[in-house]
Amino acid sequence: MAPPDDPSAQFRLAVRLQTDGRLKEAFEAYQPLLHVDAHKADVASNLSILCLQVGDRDGAERYARSAVATDANHANGWNHLALALNARGAKPEALAAFERTVALDPAHAPAWFNIGEARTGQSDMTGAIEAYGRAIALDPAYTSALVGLVHRKQQIADWEGLDDALIRLSRRVAAGDEKVDPFALLFCCTNPAELLKAAQNNAAARRRAAGLLWGEGLFPHAPRRREKIRIGYVSANFNDHPVGVLICKCLESHDRTRFEVHGYCHTAVRTGERHARIRRAADRFIEIEAMNDHAVAETIHRDGIDILVDLMGYTNGQRLRIFALRPAPVQVSWLGFAGTVGGEMDYLVADKVLIPEGAERFYLEQVVRMPACYQPNEDGYPVSERPMTRAEFGLPETATVFCCFNQTAKITPPIVELWCRILQAVPGSVLWLRSFYPVADNHLRAAFRARGIDPARLRFAGPMPEPEYLKRYGLCDLFLDTFPFSAHATGSHALFGGCPLLALPGQTFASRVSASLLMALGLPELIASSPQDYVAKAVKIGGDAELRSSLKQRLAAAQKNAPLFDAARFARDIERAYATMFDRFNAGEKPTPIALG
């Protein structure tokens, strides 16, 4: 291809096309410049990021390597090479390339952000926070870096400066900033209207990107009649992730005379019992990790999927842009994300506790209210038969053992204040927490010490295989849930393991999940009406051995009879919802709320 008459003008045109999202035109505009020495490294670097934008990881790495081979000091080339390496899972090499970028250009804010992401992947939260802080110092408007900073601080209970950062995030949501991740907000936000706004901001950017990349309205959907309704499930968590654990039995329990199940898997870890079971449960199981979003959407449309179910929302690894392309006539959000995704979806699976009457205005989707609880479960999780004692874990034999095995990010200063009041009022009691990062444990010890509680009253539990983990709950007296992000899968596991749970619901979906679990088990008295009631209930239970015994007996009985752990019953209920959705589509009706009695 002959070089252009004015290479600089051609380069500016290509950059403008890429900036405007006209990626195919930009790709073509760059081609004549690949052999122009003055622009070769810049062109290869820009083509690398363009390839990443359309999901071509091999092309991204090839062009980035060309850029740094042409100019070993090309900072953007190294940054884009790192992104390409990271995309194919070469994490240590990616971090080294990011660090090469900032060595060449210490003021490269995106590289500092990417270092934060890479260090997070290596569980170096302190290092990640430092890198995000560098990015923000260089570019105070760098919202993604601010989101990363906030969430890493939450993960290690580092609350210094967190309130100010949260205020800045809230202001950016209100201003329409599209980079505020709704998932990070779930850990701190008590206002469902703010969560809706954040999701709408993200959805607007997603729709625009999908339209610029591939055009809109590509997939027509005409009414169709067939013997079996085709359900497509999309997830990165078809493994031992909590979502995979919860949904596995439901997928196995689908009525194959009425439904055909397709799994669209972009799961990085394809090992373990749950992955094998989910793969077997699907009539068709398709690996989509290496496919770009448009190719996935084409596959889904070609497969004739009637109802496409997203099990991710805004959680890590999400691919909502597939849904922005509307490859299926009915699209549903369920289980992976505790709230609205702000667009693309016709329905959101919930229940009457999660979204009470009158709260629908905070959700763009039409609400499906399951008859008991939105959360599926196994009929029976595997519990170890090995005897366990409190002494084995350094717990007091006779004193009250409170616990909370939620992730550290869900533990907030207000809930710690309540926990300290409970410990003060129940002499000798201890609080058993999950240990995720040693630095987080130290921060929590310091937080309790600052509030007058001897940190020796905290105990930290390490990871265990699932059967032992569930057995361990039997040593606990009461699970003290977090706010505003309550226990989800962890809550079900605690209740199945025989530990009563105390919930403190708020107005958001994420804050009400544990209350939904308790209602499905017939234990409404364990749902607190206020922070004061939460403390009072915990103190009463903690100080009354007979009450604790009675609650455990009721919980054991409920496990056998309540709908929460009845997988077959749940599958029939969700199938009723699916059938209603499909019938409405075939009748030419718009989606409307579904209440399953």
Side-chain angles (χ1 to χ4, degrees), residues 363-378:
Y363 305 86
L364 287 192
E365 305 85 355
Q366 298 300 316
V367 177
V368 178
R369 289 189 173 91
M370 298 294 285
C373 179
Y374 90 117
Q375 190 187 89
N377 271 284
E378 298 273 357

Side-chain angles (χ1 to χ4, degrees), residues 58-87:
D58 292 339
E61 185 173 346
R62 184 174 64 254
Y63 281 118
R65 289 195 182 280
S66 175
V68 299
T70 301
D71 178 0
N73 295 323
H74 198 281
N76 274 338
W78 283 105
N79 188 54
H80 296 164
L81 175 59
L83 290 170
L85 290 166
N86 191 66

Side-chain angles (χ1 to χ4, degrees), residues 195-451:
L195 293 172
L196 170 60
K197 175 65 173 169
Q200 288 175 308
N201 294 343
N202 273 257
R206 195 162 54 246
R207 286 193 300 272
R208 186 169 58 255
L212 288 170
L213 287 171
W214 299 299
E216 297 185 38
L218 296 178
F219 302 109
H221 301 299
R224 70 278 302 260
R225 299 288 178 184
R226 54 168 59 105
E227 182 179 349
K228 297 181 182 181
I229 299 174
R230 292 179 186 169
I231 311 295
Y233 291 97
V234 181
S235 182
N237 297 319
F238 287 142
N239 52 21
D240 287 332
H241 181 279
V243 168
V245 170
L246 290 175
I247 202 169
C248 183
K249 187 64 176 181
C250 177
L251 299 183
E252 292 173 332
S253 301
H254 271 311
D255 182 353
R256 290 313 199 276
T257 67
R258 300 177 57 224
F259 295 88
E260 186 177 297
V261 176
H262 293 232
Y264 295 92
C265 171
H266 52 112
T267 302
V269 179
R270 299 184 181 90
T271 57
E273 178 192 2
R274 287 309 182 333
H275 180 73
R277 286 175 57 190
I278 291 170
R279 182 180 283 273
R280 289 194 301 267
D283 297 293
R284 187 162 180 262
F285 196 82
I286 305 95
E287 304 281 3
I288 64 170
E289 185 183 14
M291 300 167 63
N292 69 43
D293 296 331
H294 184 259
V296 176
E298 283 187 319
T299 300
I300 290 167
H301 186 256
R302 187 169 57 247
D303 289 345
I305 296 301
D306 301 312
I307 300 174
L308 189 63
V309 183
D310 177 49
L311 299 174
M312 299 294 296
Y314 287 101
T315 55
N316 188 39
Q318 60 90 0
R319 298 190 60 180
L320 284 168
R321 205 155 62 181
I322 294 168
F323 291 80
L325 292 166
R326 295 290 313 193
V330 180
Q331 299 191 160
V332 180
S333 180
W334 178 33
L335 193 62
F337 181 70
T340 181
V341 299
E344 297 95 33
M345 303 301 178
D346 301 300
Y347 297 95
L348 170 64
V349 178
D351 57 56
K352 63 184 178 181
V353 176
L354 293 172
I355 305 179
E357 292 292 336
E360 298 89 348
R361 66 187 184 278
F362 300 121
Y363 305 86
L364 287 192
E365 305 85 355
Q366 298 300 316
V367 177
V368 178
R369 289 189 173 91
M370 298 294 285
C373 179
Y374 90 117
Q375 190 187 89
N377 271 284
E378 298 273 357
D379 294 323
Y381 293 102
V383 179
S384 173
E385 296 181 1
R386 178 177 72 82
M388 286 186 180
T389 65
R390 287 187 169 186
E392 178 183 343
F393 296 95
L395 300 170
E397 289 293 346
T398 56
T400 300
V401 175
F402 297 109
C403 74
C404 180
F405 292 159
N406 286 345
Q407 58 178 289
T408 305
K410 294 185 178 184
I411 301 175
T412 59
I415 206 71
V416 167
E417 296 283 353
L418 300 184
W419 287 351
C420 287
R421 288 167 55 187
I422 293 166
L423 291 175
Q424 287 169 342
V426 183
S429 61
V430 299
L431 176 59
W432 204 9
L433 304 173
R434 267 291 303 273
S435 177
F436 290 91
Y437 306 100
V439 66
D441 301 347
N442 289 335
H443 284 150
L444 287 170
R445 290 186 183 99
F448 277 79
R449 182 186 296 110
R451 291 163 175 80

